[in-house]
Amino acid sequence: MTSTTTAKLAEAFTSNRAEQMPLDVTREFILPPFLPRINLDRDRKSLRIQGGRGCGKTIFIRHLCHPTQLSPQKTDIDSVVLGRIGLYWRSDTAFCGLMKPGWLGDRDADSAFSHYATLVILTEVASFLDALARAPLKDGPIQLHQTNLSVVTAEYFDGRIERFGQIRDFAKVERIRLERWLQNPKLDRPQFLRYEDLLQDIAEDLASHDPRLSDLFFRVFVDEFENLEVNQRRLVCDAVKHAKARYSVNFAMRRHAVNDFETSANEQVVEVHDVRTIDIELLLEQVPEDFKLLASELLLLRLHEKGIRMPTTYFNYSKLSDPAFLEERLSETYRRHVVEFAETVFPGWDGPSIAEKVLQDSALRNRLSQLIRGALKKHPSSGALTEDDFLDHSKPAASVVTGCILHRKRHRPDEVIQWFREYDKGNDANPFKGWIENNLYGALFYLYIGLPQRPNLLYSGFDRLCTLARPNLRVFVELCRAALTQSLDGSAKGDLLSHGLPVISPEAQAEAARSVSESILLEQVPNLGTQGEKLAEIARRLGRLFETAHRRPSQSEPEINHFSIEDAGKVQLNAETLELLREAKVWSVLYEEKDTKNKSDYSIAHTDLVPNPMFSPYFGISYRKKRKLTLDASQVNTIFTGTGSQFESLLRDFNRKWDVGQEDPEHGQLFQ
Amino acid sequence: MSVIFPELDLIPNGSRQIYRERSDIAFVGTPVDERGRYSVELAKANADRTVHCRYDHLGFSFHLGDDVVRIDELADYADDIAVRRILIDATTLDFPELLLLSRTYLHDTDLGYLYIEPTEYSELIGPAYPRTFELSTRFQAFQAIPGFSPELHAERHAYLAACIGFESTRLRRLLAEDEGHFIDRLGMVFGVPPYQVSWEMQSLLHHADVIEEQGPQTDILFAAANNPRSTFECLQTLYRALPHDGSQLLMLGAFGSKPTSIATALFACTHRDTRVVYDFPTQKHDRTRGVGPVHYFMARVTA
């Protein structure tokens, strides 16, 4: 593959935000595997679509809206789609900021926002009518522009318009008037409209003009709900709470960004009763295989768009957005084939194979030798044993874990060597079996962490890239782009062709993971919300803490990469820490997960706080959720809000506790 | 409407007189550094009255001495006092104050701006190159300033013309928040020539990856960091190049040097179809050191 080809392929992954995509996402959207589980056709209840940044909320909504549902790119569209047709609304946040009580007074602020909502919805209805007029519906398009409004509908417009085709201009003129008045409320106030009855009556009116519209039902989607002002969110909640026969109001938001769903009448919007939550992240987390399927299909789709011939008949891009093929896509055979091809593009090595590579790499092998030598020196029972006795190319995994095992006081070198020598004899009682199972990854991370210039092969392979990115498809796309770009750098890394697909070497993947990790941590996180810089600093501090844990020579608790807070002390978390914790969850810097294994008897921590796995390659630490650190409130306060020197002091305490620092004098701290 | 700059003066070192005629009123802010304190002193010495002012973006009000005025009543407030010439201390006042004062006194008044360069910016300990200047302690969410916030929607997007300074996080945050939804093209106006040789490189290097990310959808422009006319002309060029069907408006981001903010404010005041974005930074105490060259700019609106 030439570097020009690779560059073109990398381009396929450069535009990765739904907002940069067209309103009609027929070609971009892949029906998610979780669709049958949420069954959107079940009812017309309001939906709350939630998930972290980049998990695909916007594209999911756009797929449900009229530009996609009535896309000219489709054929023979069943009019059943008109029974749940979406109208998209993303507010101009700063403009909405003018509809605040502080500027307009309580009453006018609310009325102005309702009026604005009405005009946005009317503009969307006008676009829906345009889409309807050119939609490839089964029995042809529905042209209603010249159709007269009913007497009831016309009344809302004060006799200013007579036909459906005039709605757009009406909304446009009113938007200009509203805009002018909001800049200077001393001007004449526009005549305010409310959409509640208006939208209901327009839908009724439309439904009477064509039998295919008889079941017409609008789903109004308010994207980025969290960015609205408090009074505006209440007005949206009013509409959610009081759905009408012909429409419902739905909203999308980042997880944790809003906790209060109160209406203007101080009622709460209640899950199940008023709203159904579709948590895209949760749905993708629950079934990791689904994320892998989506990621594989996305990869193949983007490659297909760049002219790569697909090596299998199983994959056909036109199936991806067609509900008729969803069942087939969810079959085991299809999944296996598609994922297999993604694995061809992103090959990876298993743990023992990476151990083999370690023994072949002089620098990594040297580090392992030093580790073993250091341990032998400490033990009186070492006798004449040397590190070479524990390095055996025929037993790479056992060789790699030996260094850590020997650093544990309870294991005598003269015993360990016996088990090591007999490891390949097939004795099930040989402890190396368990040691490898529990320590191989930890030992490998330990070795790589001391040599940060070496691409860590534990960050390569399709499966691992999915684990790093999950549940964020945008991150996966960034990894694809970076990996293809890395392949550009050197043909030595082996960007070969297999079955017509590009193959990215594990080394290039690992380097890509490191560069994407760095870019997210240092360039993206600091710009998230108003506290981005602080969130990035917290992520850096946590990374350094876990990196220290990974440097423990004994690896007695390998792969510590997340934490929980002692329940008893939680009340001592200061207000700023609590606010930053919330922000960190909103922006997916930290994920809150249910505690699965609480090893401490006295602590009653119920939730784990897991840094975004995508930070791991930057620090060279594990991305697998294996072990956690339980911190007390004061330690958490120090990490979140302490000064630099307070944090350094905390880190030194852990260094001492974990016996880090004496083990490898030639390698200092990596990330200051 | 356009703006001319009849005076773009560099005041001789140590001179207490910044213009041959005194101003009727000087508007000053709260100094946070040495040059700010000197600037307020100088403004006081060159005007008959001095009024301390501050814009409260949460309350949409303007604090003028002991008075608090809603910003849609600023013009009435100003009408009560006849003035021919005002002096705005751009060293201590921030962009929103420059914007609102300029709008209030736009007609029939000579708008004078006093600005003093620092000799150094306070710096974060970090890599020697590029240097990271530490200027603000925090930023607010981007908020509209009434009068300068036309709506953006599916049929009207924005061309963001951002005057660039040292703090790249300001532009990045705006782009991250927008996610390409309303801003479909970016013009980055770098302050070249800078106040001091090599400062432009700090600014360019801190924004290099933004340029790379935005790719071909970015225009790179240069306007002198200490000359508002240069920036004004630059904005005018961008404005004239916009499509004439109203599908794109000019969004102005004042993230650069104060003289570029003066130009941005004047441009917004004289072009109603532009939009202003601002993030209301909290300035760090002692963010700069020393008292550098003193500038006096005079602007006058023409039909």
Side-chain angles (χ1 to χ4, degrees):
Chain A
M1 190 162 51
T2 66
S3 56
T4 319
T5 320
T6 322
K8 275 188 185 163
L9 292 180
E11 269 174 30
F13 299 92
T14 48
S15 171
N16 56 11
R17 291 184 296 210
E19 289 80 0
Q20 289 170 340
M21 291 177 185
L23 292 170
D24 174 1
V25 292
T26 306
R27 283 183 179 277
E28 288 79 10
F29 187 65
I30 302 174
L31 285 181
F34 57 71
L35 221 46
R37 281 190 276 151
I38 57 173
N39 188 9
L40 289 174
D41 301 334
R42 194 174 73 200
D43 54 37
R44 288 167 162 177
K45 190 169 285 174
S46 292
L47 303 172
R48 167 173 42 206
I49 318 284
Q50 71 175 23
R53 186 171 179 267
C55 75
K57 296 183 294 294
T58 298
I59 197 168
F60 184 78
I61 296 174
R62 286 192 177 179
H63 145 75
L64 297 171
C65 290
H66 63 83
T68 308
Q69 291 293 319
L70 300 175
S71 168
Q73 300 183 62
K74 296 182 176 174
T75 50
D76 291 335
I77 299 173
D78 194 322
S79 60
V80 76
V81 301
L82 300 169
R84 281 172 190 79
I85 196 81
L87 304 178
Y88 182 74
W89 168 16
R90 182 186 145 145
S91 297
D92 171 352
T93 311
F95 183 69
C96 283
L98 295 178
M99 296 173 234
K100 279 202 287 206
W103 181 233
L104 301 176
D106 286 340
R107 197 171 160 172
D108 273 357
D110 285 359
S111 303
F113 182 74
S114 290
H115 182 55
Y116 171 65
T118 309
L119 301 177
V120 170
I121 290 169
L122 282 176
T123 308
E124 265 297 274
V125 168
S127 299
F128 164 70
L129 292 172
D130 294 345
L132 209 53
R134 54 171 187 263
L137 287 160
K138 263 181 192 158
D139 296 319
I142 302 173
Q143 172 60 261
L144 293 173
H145 287 95
Q146 299 305 321
T147 306
N148 282 340
L149 303 172
S150 71
V151 179
V152 175
T153 313
E155 185 60 30
Y156 289 101
F157 299 100
D158 229 2
R160 283 166 53 194
I161 62 169
E162 293 169 354
R163 295 185 300 280
F164 282 110
Q166 295 170 305
I167 289 179
R168 181 182 297 283
D169 280 350
F170 174 87
K172 199 169 181 178
V173 168
E174 286 304 312
R175 278 173 101 148
I176 293 168
R177 286 181 180 163
L178 174 66
E179 176 184 289
R180 210 175 283 158
W181 178 72
L182 287 173
Q183 310 303 317
N184 183 3
K186 286 188 176 307
L187 299 173
D188 286 344
R189 201 178 69 173
Q191 183 71 40
F192 287 147
L193 290 169
R194 294 180 66 91
Y195 64 88
E196 289 87 340
D197 294 333
L198 172 58
L199 185 56
Q200 169 69 21
D201 286 331
I202 285 183
E204 281 296 347
D205 198 353
L206 287 169
S208 68
H209 290 292
D210 191 298
R212 288 172 292 171
L213 286 165
S214 60
D215 202 24
L216 180 66
F217 184 85
F218 289 121
R219 270 189 161 143
V220 178
F221 286 101
V222 183
D223 201 0
E224 308 224 339
F225 173 75
E226 70 276 14
N227 288 341
L228 295 175
E229 301 291 333
V230 175
N231 64 314
Q232 297 162 4
R233 291 205 295 261
R234 284 191 182 150
L235 292 167
V236 171
C237 286
D238 287 350
V240 171
K241 186 96 185 164
H242 305 291
K244 298 266 183 180
R246 290 280 182 186
Y247 75 89
S248 65
V249 172
N250 311 262
F251 57 98
M253 53 173 270
R254 284 189 300 273
R255 224 196 242 180
H256 306 290
V258 178
N259 297 319
D260 180 15
F261 298 95
E262 203 172 72
T263 67
S264 311
N266 304 324
E267 295 172 296
Q268 282 290 331
V269 167
V270 181
E271 180 72 21
V272 182
H273 188 266
D274 304 316
V275 74
R276 185 148 70 96
T277 298
I278 294 176
D279 189 321
I280 294 181
E281 274 190 349
L282 200 64
L283 287 160
L284 288 172
E285 273 165 4
Q286 278 167 348
V287 186
E289 295 311 309
D290 280 357
F291 184 82
K292 279 171 69 177
L293 174 63
L294 259 184
S296 313
E297 291 181 323
L298 182 62
L299 169 72
L300 296 181
L301 173 67
R302 295 282 175 98
L303 292 175
H304 163 82
E305 283 167 351
K306 283 286 164 187
I308 292 281
R309 196 169 43 82
M310 286 301 117
T312 170
T313 51
Y314 277 95
F315 178 79
N316 182 337
Y317 74 93
S318 60
K319 289 180 182 177
L320 302 179
S321 58
D322 192 340
F325 291 98
L326 188 56
E327 200 179 323
E328 180 192 325
R329 287 175 45 222
L330 296 180
S331 71
E332 269 313 303
T333 322
Y334 176 88
R335 278 180 195 261
R336 200 176 56 247
H337 271 86
V338 172
V339 171
E340 232 168 58
F341 282 107
E343 286 168 349
T344 309
V345 177
F346 293 116
W349 306 102
D350 62 10
S353 307
I354 297 175
E356 210 175 315
K357 302 266 169 210
V358 164
L359 295 189
Q360 288 161 3
D361 182 310
S362 59
L364 286 164
R365 187 188 158 98
N366 192 26
R367 184 163 157 78
L368 176 59
S369 299
Q370 283 175 8
L371 180 68
I372 299 171
R373 195 161 57 235
L376 292 176
K377 269 188 202 159
K378 284 188 193 168
H379 269 282
S381 71
S382 298
L385 287 171
T386 71
E387 63 269 26
D388 291 336
D389 295 315
F390 293 93
L391 295 177
D392 185 339
H393 280 274
S394 67
K395 304 168 194 167
S399 302
V400 164
V401 298
T402 310
C404 304
I405 300 302
L406 288 172
H407 268 276
R408 299 176 192 168
K409 283 179 189 150
R410 64 183 179 279
H411 299 303
R412 293 163 54 97
D414 51 347
E415 287 169 11
V416 174
I417 193 68
Q418 292 307 323
W419 291 118
F420 182 74
R421 283 174 183 149
E422 290 169 18
Y423 173 57
D424 47 4
K425 300 282 191 308
N427 177 2
D428 281 348
N430 190 316
F432 263 98
K433 198 168 169 243
W435 287 340
I436 290 171
E437 204 176 301
N438 296 324
N439 299 285
L440 180 57
Y441 270 60
L444 287 169
F445 277 116
Y446 173 88
L447 295 175
Y448 275 110
I449 222 163
L451 294 163
Q453 299 306 318
R454 283 278 181 291
N456 184 338
L457 299 178
L458 287 164
Y459 303 125
S460 61
F462 176 69
D463 195 48
R464 296 196 188 105
L465 295 184
C466 284
T467 310
L468 285 173
R470 199 174 64 231
N472 194 315
L473 272 175
R474 193 186 288 178
V475 171
F476 178 74
V477 170
E478 282 184 45
L479 283 168
C480 291
R481 182 192 48 73
L484 280 158
T485 311
Q486 286 290 343
S487 278
L488 269 175
D489 292 347
S491 51
K493 287 168 191 158
D495 44 342
L496 306 168
L497 287 169
S498 167
H499 308 293
L501 291 174
V503 177
I504 315 293
S505 71
E507 289 82 2
Q509 293 173 52
E511 280 173 11
R514 172 80 165 80
S515 85
V516 172
S517 178
E518 180 174 325
S519 141
I520 291 178
L521 186 68
L522 304 184
E523 289 161 22
Q524 295 182 22
V525 176
N527 305 308
L528 300 177
T530 53
Q531 315 235 48
E533 296 276 7
K534 286 185 183 166
L535 297 183
E537 179 60 19
I538 291 164
R540 277 196 291 269
R541 287 180 176 186
L542 286 170
R544 288 186 60 200
L545 179 61
F546 297 136
E547 188 239 344
T548 304
H550 278 62
R551 286 175 166 272
R552 295 163 83 173
S554 69
Q555 289 293 302
S556 56
E557 284 186 289
E559 300 184 70
I560 293 176
N561 64 357
H562 60 286
F563 69 103
S564 64
I565 308 168
E566 273 179 20
D567 216 30
K570 268 185 181 168
V571 285
Q572 286 159 24
L573 292 176
N574 66 41
E576 196 186 347
T577 299
L578 288 169
E579 172 56 19
L580 287 168
L581 251 174
R582 196 189 67 84
E583 277 284 296
K585 287 187 281 181
V586 169
W587 294 105
S588 306
V589 170
L590 289 177
Y591 289 103
E592 190 173 55
E593 293 178 10
K594 282 212 172 90
D595 177 17
T596 44
K597 30 186 168 305
N598 190 349
K599 65 174 273 185
S600 167
D601 293 336
Y602 56 86
S603 170
I604 348 160
H606 296 301
T607 54
D608 291 341
L609 292 157
V610 187
N612 191 321
M614 236 359 264
F615 301 148
S616 310
Y618 180 76
F619 296 103
I621 62 176
S622 176
Y623 47 84
R624 310 192 307 171
K625 194 181 168 211
K626 288 286 176 191
R627 281 183 184 75
K628 72 173 175 183
L629 184 64
T630 303
L631 297 169
D632 64 35
S634 82
Q635 290 169 324
V636 177
N637 283 334
T638 300
I639 293 167
F640 277 62
T641 57
T643 61
S645 57
Q646 285 167 336
F647 172 70
E648 294 303 330
S649 162
L650 176 75
L651 200 59
R652 276 195 298 276
D653 291 345
F654 276 105
N655 259 278
R656 269 193 296 274
K657 183 179 161 196
W658 287 332
D659 195 24
V660 179
Q662 299 157 13
E663 54 102 11
D664 200 6
E666 72 264 38
H667 296 292
Q669 284 288 332
L670 298 177
F671 305 102
Q672 293 293 343
Chain B
M1 256 195 301
S2 193
V3 173
I4 55 166
F5 295 89
E7 308 284 342
L8 293 170
D9 296 338
L10 198 56
I11 309 302
N13 210 357
S15 170
R16 302 289 292 174
Q17 188 185 18
I18 57 172
Y19 188 58
R20 57 183 177 272
E21 291 174 56
R22 290 172 65 78
S23 295
D24 301 305
I25 309 179
F27 294 99
V28 300
T30 307
V32 293
D33 46 20
E34 187 186 349
R35 59 158 178 165
R37 288 184 282 278
Y38 183 60
S39 196
V40 170
E41 230 178 81
L42 218 48
K44 279 182 180 167
N46 283 273
D48 296 340
R49 273 179 65 196
T50 308
V51 179
H52 179 272
C53 55
R54 175 177 68 86
Y55 174 56
D56 169 8
H57 66 277
L58 298 175
F60 301 99
S61 56
F62 214 74
H63 294 244
L64 292 137
D66 295 331
D67 297 331
V68 181
V69 185
R70 265 179 66 93
I71 59 168
D72 50 351
E73 286 163 0
L74 257 182
D76 299 340
Y77 180 87
D79 278 350
D80 293 346
I81 314 153
V83 289
R84 273 183 321 109
R85 178 172 301 109
I86 62 163
L87 180 62
I88 299 173
D89 179 21
T91 318
T92 55
L93 290 169
D94 207 356
F95 172 70
E97 288 93 19
L98 298 181
L99 180 73
L100 293 165
L101 286 169
S102 301
R103 183 179 67 176
T104 306
Y105 293 97
L106 197 61
H107 301 286
D108 312 319
T109 313
D110 284 342
L111 302 169
Y113 301 88
L114 169 64
Y115 178 66
I116 304 181
E117 293 178 28
T119 52
E120 289 235 35
Y121 284 104
S122 80
E123 204 170 330
L124 266 183
I125 298 163
Y129 207 76
R131 296 153 70 190
T132 303
F133 297 118
E134 196 182 19
L135 309 179
S136 313
T137 52
R138 75 171 291 171
F139 303 99
Q140 307 292 325
F142 288 94
Q143 288 195 28
I145 300 177
F148 302 94
S149 308
E151 186 196 356
L152 295 173
H153 47 72
E155 287 158 24
R156 184 164 68 191
H157 281 206
Y159 180 109
L160 171 62
C163 291
I164 304 297
F166 297 127
E167 296 169 302
S168 64
T169 189
R170 304 180 71 180
L171 176 62
R172 286 172 208 266
R173 270 188 57 220
L174 178 59
L175 295 171
E177 195 178 296
D178 180 76
E179 296 202 298
H181 196 88
F182 293 124
I183 298 170
D184 47 26
R185 201 171 172 90
L186 167 66
M188 298 169 79
V189 185
F190 286 93
V192 177
Y195 296 167
Q196 290 183 28
V197 175
S198 88
W199 282 8
E200 78 281 16
M201 283 313 291
Q202 316 305 328
S203 181
L204 271 163
L205 287 169
H206 280 296
H207 289 84
D209 53 328
V210 179
I211 299 171
E212 193 187 341
E213 268 167 36
Q214 299 293 314
Q217 289 175 347
T218 313
D219 300 311
I220 307 295
L221 302 108
F222 301 98
N226 61 9
N227 183 339
R229 183 195 286 155
S230 173
T231 304
F232 194 92
E233 285 168 358
C234 192
L235 296 176
Q236 210 150 35
T237 309
L238 291 173
Y239 179 79
R240 286 177 182 150
L242 292 180
H244 299 295
D245 58 3
S247 60
Q248 202 179 42
L249 60 71
L250 197 64
M251 183 191 266
L252 302 168
F255 309 136
S257 67
K258 210 51 89 58
T260 68
S261 293
I262 294 171
T264 306
L266 286 166
F267 195 86
C269 291
T270 47
H271 297 78
R272 278 184 55 182
D273 52 347
T274 54
R275 168 154 165 158
V276 159
V277 279
Y278 203 62
D279 52 357
F280 307 93
T282 306
Q283 295 191 337
K284 188 179 171 287
H285 208 73
D286 286 331
R287 68 207 295 257
T288 73
R289 283 188 292 279
V291 175
V294 179
H295 298 269
Y296 176 73
F297 312 121
M298 187 192 283
R300 203 173 284 153
V301 171
T302 59

